[in-house]
Amino acid sequence: MRVITQHAFGGPEVLTIVDAPEPRPHPAEVLVRVKAIGLNPLEARLRAGEFSLIGRPPFVLGWDISGVVEESPQTWRFRPGDEVFGMPLFPRAASAYAEIVSAPALHLARKPASLSHVEAAALPVVGLTAWQGLVDLGGVSEGDRVLVHGGGGGVGHVAIQIAKALGAYVIATAGGSKREFVEGLGADEVIDYTAVDFAGAVRDIDLVLDTIGGDTVERSLGVLRPGGHLVTAVAEEDAELVAAYETAGMRFSGIAVDPDPVALRGLVGLVEEGRLHVHVQETFPFERVADAHRLLDGGHLQGKLVLTV
């Protein structure tokens, strides 16, 4: 079996394909023959050594997978030949940059027939992050006004569609080149952050979903209605920000995505209803993982990048 290993912190060139023994499934786990792997900015940060989530090199990156069950020895949930996708084990290492992955059955769902393996692999991390931020933590409901920062990115473009499916009025920030793309996702308003300061253009927001971080989090305080809520997927909850929001009568939450079978099935439901589509900007063969990471490092992606195996 081939895997892509990280040998030392540094640039994409340190990602190397090596041979490794095939994993063996633990109880309630299945072996998945991987067809596609979704890439996420978090993996570029781990590769560069910005923080230690799964230890120091050597390690194998990756969480988003779509593929075919090869073995399912101790679970009734799947059988060999079933097409599945998911985000196993996060934040523990799933070692998903590989031809075969061992994953808990509860961390996977059956792949919707309408999605290719490439599209399915692009969905779990961003989809679960958006779902948990909007539904589980944010409690978005019919008629709420939702502001999504970074509406053209991985989490953002899925969040717009989920918020619209929940009945919200959705405003999104995005660069001017992504306006048409974001409007096509169903956003009611699009603010070009390169030309307009959102803080002066938006008011009475019930929930802000932040995928940008930095001073965007602080400046979002002024756009919320009394009792409004900011959920950030990238900025950690620090005491000063929490205090500032609470003093102003607002809520501030940071979210770190979890494997979640209920939310994963919720995403499948929206896909099957035709209310959720995942956009893949570019695919790369397994052997070109370094090229994919160079593009990932550049940021400003439209949707997701995917490796094919």
Side-chain angles (χ1 to χ4, degrees):
M1 180 188 73
R2 297 181 306 165
V3 301
I4 298 170
T5 62
Q6 163 84 37
H7 289 292
F9 287 134
E13 65 277 359
V14 302
L15 295 170
T16 305
I17 296 176
V18 300
D19 291 321
E22 290 193 4
R24 303 305 307 166
H26 298 292
E29 290 193 353
V30 298
L31 281 186
V32 178
R33 174 73 61 176
V34 177
K35 299 295 185 181
I37 305 159
L39 273 60
N40 295 283
L42 171 64
E43 290 147 30
R45 296 178 63 192
L46 287 170
R47 188 208 71 234
E50 289 187 22
F51 58 92
S52 178
L53 181 63
I54 55 175
R56 296 186 61 83
F59 52 61
V60 180
L61 292 165
W63 285 275
D64 277 341
I65 60 168
S66 183
V68 179
V69 173
E70 191 155 286
E71 294 183 30
S72 55
Q74 297 188 53
T75 177
W76 52 267
R77 296 181 182 276
F78 302 109
R79 292 291 179 263
D82 287 344
E83 295 186 323
V84 296
F85 78 113
M87 182 198 73
L89 296 173
F90 190 89
R92 290 189 292 130
S95 301
Y97 284 19
E99 293 178 308
I100 298 177
V101 169
S102 181
L106 273 174
H107 294 178
L108 302 171
R110 296 183 187 277
K111 181 182 75 66
S114 61
L115 290 185
S116 67
H117 281 294
V118 166
E119 292 167 322
L123 182 57
V125 167
V126 297
L128 290 174
T129 300
W131 183 282
Q132 290 167 11
L134 294 169
V135 179
D136 299 334
L137 192 54
V140 172
S141 59
E142 183 87 27
D144 282 349
R145 287 170 56 83
V146 173
L147 173 63
V148 177
H149 285 307
V155 174
H157 91 285
V158 172
I160 290 169
Q161 298 173 76
I162 294 174
K164 289 301 295 181
L166 294 170
Y169 183 91
V170 180
I171 304 167
T173 63
S177 63
K178 296 181 180 180
R179 172 177 289 276
E180 184 175 348
F181 171 66
V182 173
E183 288 175 340
L185 299 169
D188 297 286
E189 298 180 36
V190 180
I191 297 173
D192 179 357
Y193 67 83
T194 66
V196 178
D197 181 3
F198 77 88
V202 181
R203 286 292 180 271
D204 299 321
I205 297 297
D206 294 282
L207 183 130
V208 174
L209 182 67
D210 166 54
T211 71
I212 303 298
D215 68 350
T216 298
V217 176
E218 296 179 40
R219 295 193 299 117
S220 293
L221 178 59
V223 309
L224 289 166
R225 65 160 177 79
H229 191 179
L230 179 133
V231 177
T232 178
V234 291
E236 296 182 2
E237 287 191 7
D238 68 67
E240 289 186 9
L241 275 175
V242 171
Y245 270 74
E246 289 181 349
T247 298
M250 316 295 185
R251 294 175 61 197
F252 177 96
S253 302
I255 186 170
V257 67
D258 296 316
D260 184 342
V262 175
L264 200 56
R265 289 196 296 271
L267 294 171
V268 168
L270 290 181
V271 168
E272 291 177 335
E273 293 168 6
R275 306 173 80 179
L276 176 60
H277 306 273
V278 61
H279 178 76
V280 177
Q281 175 175 318
E282 192 169 347
T283 61
F284 294 82
F286 195 69
E287 293 78 8
R288 290 185 57 205
V289 62
D291 292 333
H293 267 252
R294 290 187 183 95
L295 186 56
L296 194 66
D297 286 344
H300 303 290
L301 297 176
Q302 186 165 291
K304 292 290 295 291
L305 304 177
V306 175
L307 296 177
T308 55
V309 183

